[in-house]
Amino acid sequence: MPELLTCASIGTLAPDFVLVYADGRRVTRDELRGRPAILAFYPQHWDPARAEQLAHFNAMVSAAPGISTKVPLLADLDPFGEAAERFGVLGEHAVFVLDADGVILWSHVGAVAQSDLDALTDSLKSRALAVLEATDDAATGGRDLLFNPSRRQFIATVLAAAVVLAATSAVSKAESVSKALAPKNVAAIPVTLNVNGRAVALTIEPRVTLLDALREYAGLTGTKKGCDHGQCGACTVHIDGRRQLSCLTFAVMHANAKITTVEGLASGDTLHPMQAAFIKHDGFQCGYCTPGQLMSATALLREPCGTADADVKECMSGNICRCGAYPGIVAAIQEVRATSRG
């Protein structure tokens, strides 16, 4: 049986705490009374605020029979760790099962090894049986109850707590794998890039993206880092005349290529026709996506794109404007295309 660590003691009233929901609503321990509860704490470096992680967690909990409610993670509702500190588990993996009166029935503190998971869940089930026996005794005039929910309610809580432990184990394993796969220090190498018609000599690690090489090493900050995942188009540059997302390629791969950034579109003080058209048609608002939009738009002039506005929208679909300046962008592109054809 693995050691059970109890910071907030079993059989005692849980420390008072406040949960802060995304909408600003604040819920205290006493306001959660009336039904069993599971408090699952996770270290802050595991980010449950990400929607997909929280959805996955609740999907795991909901898979247990009898579970119908979502189980929030306190790392999401306790952003400053105040509740975790009250329980004495700040920065730790921890699971607490509370009864309907807020009394701690069972707890485990620390990451769960896969090999220990069965023993821990057996311990939790044993606690459930003991409490249910107490319920039966009380029903026949026996001893006082520590906990008095319905059987279904308690069994559902126990099953959910078991799933929480499994999730803790999975997170712990993922963290171990992440640490094992963490990149080690890599020696920097000399690379010379041809950017906007001039040679730029850099000393960078092979894993540096072209986007970071341009912004952080070459000082060309016109190319923007939006999503850094190849989804928004803000980092678009031209490589040998073709548009490419600079966040998805390594700088060392383009030592012999001709790279053009937004700084290279104008000719001295004379704007590129596409830049002038963007200004004329208000093809931007905040301007953050504009460099990528301009690079895609100028590349489009050399690409097989239909003449209709719908064709332009399709060809520019890889560039997102969160301000919604799309009508101006399309109008600017169409004007430059018409002028070029003329």
Side-chain angles (χ1 to χ4, degrees), residues 8 17 19 49 53-54 68 98 101 106 117 129 133-134 163 184 195 209 227 235 257 272 281 294 328 341:
F17 56 85
L19 306 182
Q53 289 178 324
L54 190 55
S68 59
L98 310 185
D101 294 321
W106 190 92
L117 185 58
L129 291 174
E133 288 176 1
V163 176
K184 307 297 187 295
V195 184
T209 64
C227 64
C235 70
H272 186 283
H281 292 280
L294 284 167
R341 288 194 297 269

Side-chain angles (χ1 to χ4, degrees), residues 17-83:
F17 56 85
V18 177
L19 306 182
V20 183
Y21 287 81
D23 59 4
R25 182 167 50 96
R26 299 167 67 85
V27 179
T28 66
R29 175 201 62 193
D30 293 339
E31 289 172 327
L32 290 178
R33 289 188 179 185
R35 62 179 180 178
I38 303 167
L39 305 184
F41 295 90
Y42 287 81
Q44 279 197 321
H45 61 266
W46 186 70
D47 182 11
R50 294 180 181 177
E52 64 272 17
Q53 289 178 324
L54 190 55
H56 175 68
F57 179 89
N58 277 309
M60 291 179 65
V61 173
S62 300
I67 304 297
S68 59
T69 58
K70 293 184 178 180
V71 180
L73 298 179
L74 295 198
D76 190 33
L77 307 181
D78 182 34
F80 303 109
E82 295 174 357

Side-chain angles (χ1 to χ4, degrees), residues 29-309:
R29 175 201 62 193
D30 293 339
E31 289 172 327
L32 290 178
R33 289 188 179 185
R35 62 179 180 178
I38 303 167
L39 305 184
F41 295 90
Y42 287 81
Q44 279 197 321
H45 61 266
W46 186 70
D47 182 11
R50 294 180 181 177
E52 64 272 17
Q53 289 178 324
L54 190 55
H56 175 68
F57 179 89
N58 277 309
M60 291 179 65
V61 173
S62 300
I67 304 297
S68 59
T69 58
K70 293 184 178 180
V71 180
L73 298 179
L74 295 198
D76 190 33
L77 307 181
D78 182 34
F80 303 109
E82 295 174 357
E85 190 169 14
R86 284 183 173 272
F87 276 82
V89 294
L90 184 62
E92 297 280 352
H93 294 278
V95 178
F96 292 86
V97 178
L98 310 185
D99 71 8
D101 294 321
V103 173
I104 300 173
L105 290 177
W106 190 92
S107 67
H108 175 78
V109 180
V112 182
Q114 189 66 39
S115 58
D116 294 337
L117 185 58
D118 290 340
L120 282 170
T121 51
D122 287 343
S123 171
L124 180 55
K125 291 173 184 176
S126 297
R127 180 62 179 164
L129 291 174
V131 172
L132 289 175
E133 288 176 1
T135 305
D136 291 340
D137 291 343
T140 57
R143 53 196 169 88
D144 291 337
L145 287 179
L146 173 67
F147 175 78
N148 190 24
S150 68
R151 283 175 175 271
R152 179 182 179 84
Q153 192 178 31
F154 183 71
I155 291 297
T157 303
V158 169
L159 288 170
V163 176
V164 169
L165 283 171
T168 305
S169 176
V171 169
S172 177
K173 183 177 180 180
E175 289 172 352
S176 299
V177 172
S178 177
K179 290 178 182 177
L181 297 179
K184 307 297 187 295
N185 290 331
V186 179
I189 60 175
V191 176
T192 300
L193 301 178
N194 181 349
V195 184
N196 299 329
R198 65 184 182 91
V200 179
L202 306 173
T203 301
I204 57 177
E205 294 180 1
R207 62 190 177 190
V208 173
T209 64
L210 179 58
L211 172 60
D212 286 336
L214 292 171
R215 289 183 56 84
E216 308 300 333
Y217 293 85
L220 297 171
T221 56
T223 304
K224 302 304 181 187
K225 179 179 286 191
C227 64
D228 208 22
H229 287 78
Q231 298 174 342
C232 71
C235 70
T236 303
V237 298
H238 295 176
I239 299 179
D240 289 333
R242 299 181 63 183
R243 50 175 156 169
Q244 187 160 337
L245 300 172
S246 59
C247 74
L248 295 184
T249 186
F250 295 116
V252 296
M253 299 169 61
H254 304 289
N256 298 318
K258 180 181 178 181
I259 301 169
T260 305
T261 70
V262 69
E263 290 92 344
L265 287 184
S267 178
D269 293 333
T270 303
L271 294 178
H272 186 283
M274 190 67 72
Q275 291 174 304
F278 264 61
I279 294 173
K280 176 182 176 181
H281 292 280
D282 291 330
F284 53 87
Q285 288 187 36
C286 78
Y288 196 85
C289 75
T290 305
Q293 300 278 4
L294 284 167
M295 299 309 293
S296 281
T298 51
L300 181 150
L301 298 176
R302 299 186 293 270
E303 297 171 355
C305 180
T307 58
D309 286 357

